[in-house]
Amino acid sequence: MGRKIVVALGGNAILSKDASAAAQQQALRDTAEHLVKFIENGDQLIISHGNGPQVGNLLLQQAAGSTKDNPEMPLDTCVAMTQGSIGYWMQNAMNQVIKEKGLDKTVATVVTQVEVSADDPAFTKPTKPIGPFMNKDEADLAKKQNPDFTFVEDAGRGYRRVVPSPKPIGVVETDAVNTLVDAGIVPISVGGGGIPVVRDGNQLLGKEAVIDKDFASEKLAELVGADSLIILTAVNNIYVNFNKPNQKKLEDVTLSELDKFIEEKQFAPGSMLPKVQAAMDFVKATGNEAVVTALDNIEGFIDNGSGTVIKPEGSKV
């Protein structure tokens, strides 16, 4: 049996400027061509994905069309809806490519709930960007139309809605994911960071939040006993002094080195920082490696280990 790998795919890799279903399905078809390389390599693959653009768009559509007789759905339900729709597109794309390559594998989506703490301070401080980028006038209009929404400027790229983003403390369907892996099935799990729930006796209650998919993917990888967590982003490597004349890519890096770079504020809070922190959490919890690289560098990583590989202190890197 090959390595058990959790691969975390960003929601922006599925949706760029064209929000149509056809465009997102085509993007996932392209994505599947890369992801299937892990299966060809003999790895036991578990896929996770983001949904920030998709759930934000859905919330705006819901708010615009809400009536007394047909009210908008709460945020946790919208996370479940996009988890299902993206999973549907992704499993079809993966299964198509798998069949074309003559591989003996199938892919299935698990509607996944992720447990959070009801006392998480994130519920009083929304920080997670979701939905499309807007200019100032568009954001002001959206705020007027949706007074309960919070909009902030996002990394110089425009304005986006922000919602609470509590830290995951458990993945409810962990056993189901492992059962699928043991049966030779590729699960798609914790889509969009998972549906945020809190425990109340025997009940699981949905919360108005979106969990960061990198932290949810880390928690899943930890709980299923993954050999590696691979976080896919827009660049082949993590960089320090990014976009400066003295920028430097990180290849093999230790936890202490990353701690130093975080102290230097080398990583953007809404962008690379959570990926770095999630990767570090996995290494600390398991002693196994985490990797940050780009979707189109998967073959390079498999063939020669290219990308940023994070290992515990004392490992041979």
Side-chain angles (χ1 to χ4, degrees):
M1 180 178 287
R3 299 173 301 164
K4 184 187 287 187
I5 294 176
V6 172
V7 177
L9 178 71
N12 285 304
I14 305 164
L15 187 155
S16 53
K17 292 182 179 179
D18 187 344
S20 69
Q24 293 183 77
Q25 286 170 303
Q26 181 58 52
L28 282 167
R29 164 67 201 220
D30 297 339
T31 295
E33 293 281 356
H34 293 289
L35 292 180
V36 79
K37 291 181 172 66
F38 286 113
I39 299 173
E40 291 179 304
N41 193 50
D43 296 319
Q44 306 298 307
L45 183 62
I46 300 168
I47 303 169
S48 67
H49 62 82
N51 72 341
Q54 293 84 1
V55 76
N57 286 349
L58 178 59
L59 286 164
L60 290 173
Q61 292 165 1
Q62 293 254 323
S66 180
T67 66
K68 181 180 178 181
D69 293 331
N70 187 25
E72 61 192 289
M73 293 294 104
L75 179 50
D76 60 299
T77 300
C78 289
V79 171
M81 292 164 71
T82 53
Q83 194 180 96
S85 62
I86 295 170
Y88 155 60
W89 294 334
M90 185 177 292
Q91 69 188 28
N92 280 350
M94 286 292 295
N95 283 325
Q96 181 182 352
V97 174
I98 285 168
K99 284 183 173 60
E100 289 172 357
K101 293 183 177 292
L103 299 170
D104 183 20
K105 219 42 143 169
T106 190
V107 183
T109 299
V110 179
V111 177
T112 313
Q113 301 168 96
V114 173
E115 187 179 352
V116 300
S117 170
D119 298 324
D120 193 306
F123 285 114
T124 62
K125 187 179 179 182
T127 58
K128 176 67 176 174
I130 61 173
F133 288 97
M134 306 176 185
N135 62 35
K136 183 67 164 58
D137 291 340
E138 290 170 333
D140 288 343
L141 177 60
K143 175 67 175 178
K144 184 177 179 180
Q145 294 170 335
N146 306 279
D148 293 336
F149 289 7
T150 301
F151 295 86
V152 300
E153 196 272 336
D154 182 8
R157 297 175 291 179
Y159 289 79
R160 294 178 81 186
R161 183 186 171 190
V162 290
V163 299
S165 184
K167 286 290 183 70
I169 60 174
V171 178
V172 177
E173 285 76 22
T174 296
D175 289 345
V177 170
N178 267 333
T179 298
L180 288 172
V181 171
D182 291 342
I185 297 168
V186 176
I188 300 169
S189 182
V190 297
I195 303 159
V197 296
V198 297
R199 290 194 181 272
D200 182 12
N202 292 326
Q203 295 185 87
L204 292 171
L205 304 177
K207 297 293 288 184
E208 289 275 319
V210 171
I211 302 167
D212 184 278
K213 63 91 182 167
D214 294 313
F215 288 117
S217 301
E218 185 284 322
K219 183 56 66 176
L220 177 67
E222 182 184 328
L223 292 174
V224 300
D227 298 303
S228 184
L229 169 66
I230 300 177
I231 298 176
L232 300 178
T233 185
V235 289
N236 286 1
N237 294 76
I238 300 170
Y239 285 81
V240 293
N241 303 315
F242 186 59
N243 276 342
K244 296 179 181 178
N246 62 337
Q247 78 170 15
K248 176 186 176 183
K249 70 179 179 180
L250 303 179
E251 295 177 296
D252 296 314
V253 62
T254 63
L255 295 173
S256 60
E257 289 171 325
L258 287 174
D259 278 330
K260 176 176 175 289
F261 293 138
I262 289 173
E263 286 179 12
E264 296 172 357
K265 302 188 184 304
Q266 288 281 356
F267 311 124
S271 179
M272 186 58 76
L273 181 59
K275 294 173 174 56
V276 172
Q277 291 173 324
M280 293 175 69
D281 286 349
F282 177 74
V283 175
K284 290 174 185 175
T286 66
N288 296 333
E289 72 175 22
V291 180
V292 178
T293 193
L295 178 68
D296 58 9
N297 188 51
I298 285 175
E299 190 168 5
F301 168 71
I302 291 172
D303 290 346
N304 55 44
S306 65
T308 297
V309 180
I310 303 158
K311 295 184 178 180
E313 302 300 321
S315 294
K316 293 182 179 180
V317 296

